[in-house]
Amino acid sequence: MAEIGGMNIRALAAKYGTPLYVYDEGRICDILNSYREHFQSDTFETGVLYASKAFSCKAIVKLIAEYGMYLDVVSGGEIYTAKQAGYDMSKIFFHGNNKTPEEITYALKEHVGTFVVDNLQEAELLKELSENADYTVHALLRVNPGVEAHTHNYIVTAHVDSKFGISFLNEEEIVKTIEVLKTCPHIAFDGFHAHIGSQIFDRNAFGEEIRKLFEYAKHMKDTYGTDIKTINIGGGFAARYTAADAPIPTDEVCRFILDTCREENEKNGLNVHRILIEPGRSIVAEAGYTIYTAGGIKTTPNRHYVFVDGGMSDNIRPALYQAEYDAVVDGKENEPANTEYTVAGKCCESGDILIQKISLPDMQRGDLIVLKTTGAYGYSMASHYNKLPLPAVVFVKDGTDRLVIRRETFEHMTALEV
Ligand code: LLP
């Protein structure tokens, strides 16, 4: 691949330096269009929330706004970023298992539309802090339906001991929390939220989640007269990192979710009005690439290493989740990939390996290696380990490039040091 989004890779590297995150903006727009087109229903109001933790910056928030989508945030910092992008605060859903009093106060001051309340203590805190709110604060309750999605342990979120949400097994707390929310003068309790994990390939995991949510909503209605108007299914739709990955196509997963919700709504005699989903990864992952420059090549008895000028500081996912990536070498697409390499980063840590094994053409210092599918949880989880400055982020579209986040300098990294 000599190009991303119509832009020459070598020219991008020369202009902005490496490592460099590059997003094919057209690709993001295609996915946003696909969600917008397919997450539509005759039965329900529908909404797609972009989970900004996957990649949060002003440029992406502006795109989300252009496509009329809602925004999922998990911190004061993500609210601030949305605000800086001019995003409509009423369309924000504020998540998190431990929102601080300062964050809640800030969100209320900014008129954030919906709080996804995680537990009873948080509901009580929100009640207290919203006493003088000058608008109606919408609230969903995060519940844990106990669906096991088969994904990495760190990104499973709905097992019974999860730190997120209230388990269906703890009905007493669910009932009390709803009671607290319903008795707040400024709060409108809308319904349930759940999120069962990330990088999910199996539609049946979502099917089971939906069935459990609707059955529980019926139980709540029959037992306590609680009306659930909104159900938010969460995110978790997989992206394709390597040829071994086969994510459910967006149109199919949207249809499946809405069909299952309609069936369950009818079957349980409910009157749920609105269905929401909140994809993060599937919107930005495949549109993102990281360009690295190859440095040293090292051969040991069992391996050929190629070292690159970034690593776990710009992509922690291989070290943290054993995540796998595919890569190409710019300009060597037609050369035989006949050597097995380990692509290693430059951080002082043996675990700083971006790709354990990949067949590549013979590598030389100065070659540009492009890792694919790095658009989600790359920049957003980047660190300053070894005091490596964060790379720049560039959006490319129709043969033009635009810088959306500048590369950090050494001065940035010490600017706050007293
Ligand atoms: N909604 C909630 C409540 C979430 O916790 C998450 C992700 C999402 C939506 C978006 O999920 P997605 O569609 O992106 O799978 N750092 C990990 C992923 C952590 C996901 C955390 N929650 C990784 O790099 O794989």
Side-chain angles (χ1 to χ4, degrees):
M1 54 181 290
E3 292 190 340
I4 302 170
M7 284 301 301
N8 181 277
I9 288 170
R10 193 149 283 276
L12 286 170
K15 182 167 174 185
Y16 297 106
T18 62
L20 182 68
Y21 297 104
V22 180
Y23 283 84
D24 180 346
E25 192 178 338
R27 182 87 186 262
I28 301 178
C29 297
D30 289 346
I31 297 164
L32 294 177
N33 261 326
S34 182
Y35 272 116
R36 187 163 65 175
E37 183 184 336
H38 298 293
F39 203 65
Q40 294 288 349
S41 154
D42 296 333
T43 314
F44 303 108
E45 254 179 60
T46 55
V48 180
L49 290 58
Y50 168 62
S52 65
K53 73 205 80 178
F55 174 51
S56 166
C57 70
K58 291 190 282 180
I60 190 80
V61 172
K62 282 181 184 162
L63 264 189
I64 294 304
E66 262 175 48
Y67 282 78
M69 287 170 66
Y70 296 95
L71 198 69
D72 153 355
V73 304
V74 289
S75 68
E78 287 184 354
I79 296 173
Y80 180 80
T81 304
K83 168 110 179 147
Q84 293 298 304
Y87 190 81
D88 176 356
M89 293 284 125
S90 72
K91 293 175 80 173
I92 290 186
F93 286 69
F94 186 16
H95 288 264
N97 67 306
N98 190 25
K99 304 174 188 74
T100 64
E102 293 76 17
E103 285 176 318
I104 295 177
T105 305
Y106 173 52
L108 290 168
K109 179 174 139 273
E110 295 298 347
H111 292 190
V112 161
T114 306
F115 281 66
V116 182
V117 175
D118 198 84
N119 52 61
L120 176 59
Q121 288 177 24
E122 186 183 298
E124 283 163 348
L125 188 60
L126 181 61
K127 178 174 185 171
E128 188 188 317
L129 296 173
S130 67
E131 220 163 34
N132 299 316
D134 53 357
Y135 71 109
T136 300
V137 181
H138 289 269
L140 294 175
L141 173 61
R142 177 155 185 177
V143 289
N144 174 355
V147 176
E148 296 279 353
H150 298 283
T151 183
H152 192 283
N153 251 344
Y154 292 1
I155 48 184
V156 164
T157 46
H159 56 76
V160 66
D161 294 316
S162 171
K163 71 171 186 169
F164 296 107
I166 313 176
S167 163
F168 278 172
L169 303 176
N170 190 357
E171 187 160 316
E172 197 185 333
E173 187 176 340
I174 292 183
V175 173
K176 273 193 193 154
T177 308
I178 295 175
E179 200 46 47
V180 169
L181 294 173
K182 281 187 150 178
T183 52
C184 292
H186 304 294
I187 294 182
F189 172 69
D190 292 341
F192 288 148
H193 166 272
H195 171 81
I196 57 169
S198 200
Q199 187 65 353
I200 297 170
F201 294 96
D202 179 6
R203 79 191 62 203
N204 296 323
F206 295 114
E208 195 185 335
E209 177 196 6
I210 293 167
R211 266 187 294 286
K212 288 198 169 182
L213 283 169
F214 277 82
E215 278 165 15
Y216 203 75
K218 175 172 167 50
H219 169 65
M220 283 283 126
K221 188 176 173 190
D222 293 349
T223 317
Y224 308 99
T226 306
D227 205 14
I228 301 296
K229 295 190 277 296
T230 295
I231 290 188
N232 181 335
I233 312 294
F237 315 110
R240 182 185 160 92
Y241 286 86
T242 68
D245 295 333
I248 321 167
T250 307
D251 56 339
E252 271 179 55
V253 81
C254 288
R255 202 175 324 118
F256 177 76
I257 285 175
L258 290 170
D259 285 351
T260 312
C261 286
R262 183 171 35 74
E263 284 160 24
E264 290 301 314
N265 205 28
E266 281 168 17
K267 197 168 92 194
N268 290 291
L270 290 169
N271 192 18
V272 173
H273 293 228
R274 188 168 66 146
I275 303 294
L276 305 173
I277 50 172
E278 48 196 24
R281 185 194 311 272
S282 53
I283 291 178
V284 287
E286 291 175 31
Y289 301 80
T290 311
I291 308 177
Y292 299 97
T293 303
I297 316 287
K298 170 175 176 171
T299 298
T300 64
N302 300 303
R303 281 185 196 243
H304 298 289
Y305 281 103
V306 51
F307 299 151
V308 297
D309 54 353
M312 65 191 294
S313 48
D314 59 76
N315 187 353
I316 188 73
R317 299 193 69 260
L320 191 57
Y321 315 116
Q322 299 76 50
E324 294 184 354
Y325 285 87
D326 194 8
V328 291
V329 183
D330 181 60
K332 293 192 169 176
E333 296 79 7
N334 300 323
E335 293 182 22
N338 49 13
T339 308
E340 197 165 80
Y341 284 99
T342 296
V343 181
K346 67 186 260 86
C347 294
C348 284
E349 181 138 338
S350 299
D352 179 25
I353 304 289
L354 289 172
I355 302 180
Q356 289 289 351
K357 271 187 191 171
I358 183 169
S359 296
L360 296 174
D362 278 344
M363 297 295 298
Q364 266 103 35
R365 182 177 280 277
D367 280 341
L368 295 177
I369 304 182
V370 184
L371 251 70
K372 298 180 181 178
T373 318
T374 59
Y377 305 107
Y379 193 88
S380 66
M381 295 180 84
S383 76
H384 289 121
Y385 184 46
N386 294 167
K387 276 248 156 93
L388 299 183
L390 296 190
V393 181
V394 171
F395 277 20
V396 295
K397 193 180 182 191
D398 302 330
T400 56
D401 55 283
R402 65 182 172 113
L403 182 63
V404 304
I405 306 179
R406 290 199 300 273
R407 182 178 301 281
E408 271 187 339
T409 62
F410 297 158
E411 290 74 28
H412 288 131
M413 285 189 296
T414 51
L416 301 179
E417 294 184 18
V418 179

